[in-house]
Amino acid sequence: MTSNHEDTNDILQEVFAKAYRALKRFQGKSAFYTWIYAIAVNMSLNFLKKRGRRRKLSLDDVDKGIENDKDFIEATSKSDPVREATINELQERLNSAMMELSEDHRAVVTMFDIQGMPHAEISEILGVSEGTVRSRLFYAHRQLQTYLGDFVK
Amino acid sequence: MSDSTSDSNLSEVQKLIRLKRYEQPPRGYDAYCEDFLFEFQQRQRVEMLRRSSFSLWLEKVASWFWGFGTSKWVWGGAAAYASMMMFAYLNQDSGSDIAEEPVGPKPTTLAPSVPPGESQQDSGKGGKDGLQPVSAPRFKEL
């Protein structure tokens, strides 16, 4: 979401501190995971809105397991640009494309595509309808398709 | 035809984005979690020391209050009503204290004792100054 180590670390500290303070108010109406994830997403979105466009990308390490991933193997075997790019270049490209999305669109892509959450859970976390989640996903994918067009030809 | 190409591209995009799952903190998850926990505990300690005892007490009261569940609104309303009544009662008490007459001998005034029905001319029959003691017996002449 932030594409920056320090920012992510600061937000995560704040999220846990807030969750720790509010733990007594957790009534078990939703799963604990959903509850704490909602705090994290809301705080991240607030932070990103305050930060605006000012950003400095910092890349995470990539687990070696990516080389055995069937999607990665498929992508590198089919597409020349992906095959020619190193893993770090690919990662940089993906992060840049993600940062082109609005905060709300980035949030749904992160939760749906990267974290693998179902639409219903995303809608509960964000407090919007499932239709809105699907619509945001649709537009986000369209935008990503534009930014990563040469990678998926 | 173009729709199917577009859909296939979309699915390719999704597959590429999914590769971000392999991203991890620079020193690995274990080292990151240890550092994170240490930093979290430090921050909590600093925060606790920085806060006043009143705000800590307030937080305790708030979390105790939240523990009531939905009935907290009833208790909250009752507490608010009780405090309003208490305030009104105390205000009323202090108000009557101010209005109370000062303690001490009351100033006495002598007034002519003219019973109702007697005219002004009858008053001349009394004493020199027309005043009569209140306790003096009065006889009616038959």
Side-chain angles (χ1 to χ4, degrees):
Chain A
M1 286 287 284
T2 66
S3 283
N4 184 279
H5 285 309
E6 283 77 31
D7 289 348
T8 304
N9 201 44
D10 285 347
I11 294 170
L12 204 55
Q13 289 283 348
E14 294 294 326
V15 166
F16 273 83
K18 191 172 183 180
Y20 181 71
R21 284 197 295 269
L23 198 57
K24 284 176 185 168
R25 286 179 224 164
F26 174 65
Q27 293 171 344
K29 285 177 185 169
S30 62
F32 182 75
Y33 179 79
T34 310
W35 179 72
I36 201 161
Y37 214 101
I39 295 175
V41 170
N42 286 327
M43 287 184 81
S44 302
L45 289 175
N46 286 340
F47 172 83
L48 290 172
K49 273 166 192 157
K50 273 185 206 159
R51 189 180 73 171
R53 303 296 288 177
R54 176 181 58 84
R55 64 174 190 259
K56 188 184 162 199
L57 293 177
S58 59
L59 295 179
D60 278 324
D61 285 353
V62 178
D63 187 67
K64 294 286 175 200
I66 193 172
E67 289 166 8
N68 301 322
D69 189 281
K70 68 175 176 56
D71 287 340
F72 181 75
I73 294 167
E74 195 184 326
T76 49
S77 64
K78 270 168 57 178
S79 164
D80 281 345
V82 178
R83 190 162 50 222
E84 284 162 16
T86 62
I87 290 175
N88 279 350
E89 282 168 353
L90 173 65
Q91 189 192 6
E92 205 169 325
R93 195 64 197 279
L94 293 177
N95 281 3
S96 301
M98 285 286 283
M99 293 310 283
E100 293 296 329
L101 301 177
S102 71
E103 287 89 11
D104 291 334
H105 285 172
R106 206 184 312 151
V108 289
V109 169
T110 304
M111 284 188 269
F112 183 77
D113 292 316
I114 304 171
Q115 306 282 333
M117 288 184 185
H119 294 114
E121 198 168 354
I122 299 171
S123 79
E124 194 181 343
I125 286 168
L126 292 175
V128 296
S129 69
E130 277 191 51
T132 306
V133 172
R134 283 174 204 277
S135 149
R136 283 182 190 175
L137 265 177
F138 177 78
Y139 284 108
H141 286 155
R142 286 268 175 224
Q143 273 183 281
L144 286 172
Q145 196 181 11
T146 313
Y147 300 132
L148 297 168
D150 53 334
F151 263 51
V152 291
K153 270 177 190 167
Chain B
M1 181 67 188
S2 64
D3 276 353
S4 66
T5 313
S6 173
D7 286 347
S8 132
N9 281 355
L10 270 181
S11 118
E12 293 297 317
V13 165
Q14 279 185 272
K15 281 177 185 172
L16 277 179
I17 289 292
R18 262 182 224 138
L19 293 176
K20 276 177 70 63
R21 280 175 298 180
Y22 289 97
E23 286 184 349
Q24 60 177 16
R27 288 174 54 220
Y29 280 113
D30 290 344
Y32 177 78
C33 288
E34 274 177 31
D35 292 350
F36 179 83
L37 186 64
F38 180 73
E39 200 182 324
F40 180 72
Q41 286 170 340
Q42 293 271 41
R43 283 171 82 142
Q44 286 296 105
R45 249 179 244 134
V46 169
E47 198 181 320
M48 285 283 272
L49 289 173
R50 207 188 306 144
R51 291 171 65 189
S52 66
S53 51
F54 176 72
S55 68
L56 286 172
W57 175 81
L58 209 64
E59 193 180 304
K60 275 192 173 185
V61 169
S63 57
W64 172 77
F65 185 66
W66 275 99
F68 280 113
T70 47
S71 64
K72 63 179 171 280
W73 302 115
V74 178
W75 285 108
Y81 180 74
S83 54
M84 273 171 60
M85 292 306 289
M86 181 79 82
F87 179 75
Y89 176 74
L90 290 174
N91 239 15
Q92 190 185 13
D93 269 9
S94 59
S96 65
D97 282 350
I98 294 162
E100 202 173 319
E101 287 178 20
V103 179
K106 285 184 183 175
T108 49
T109 48
L110 285 171
S113 155
V114 183
E118 281 189 19
S119 61
Q120 192 68 26
Q121 61 190 11
D122 293 339
S123 63
K125 288 177 186 171
K128 249 201 275 182
D129 52 2
L131 294 176
Q132 285 182 342
V134 174
S135 57
R138 296 165 60 103
F139 300 103
K140 211 173 178 182
E141 288 178 10
L142 296 171

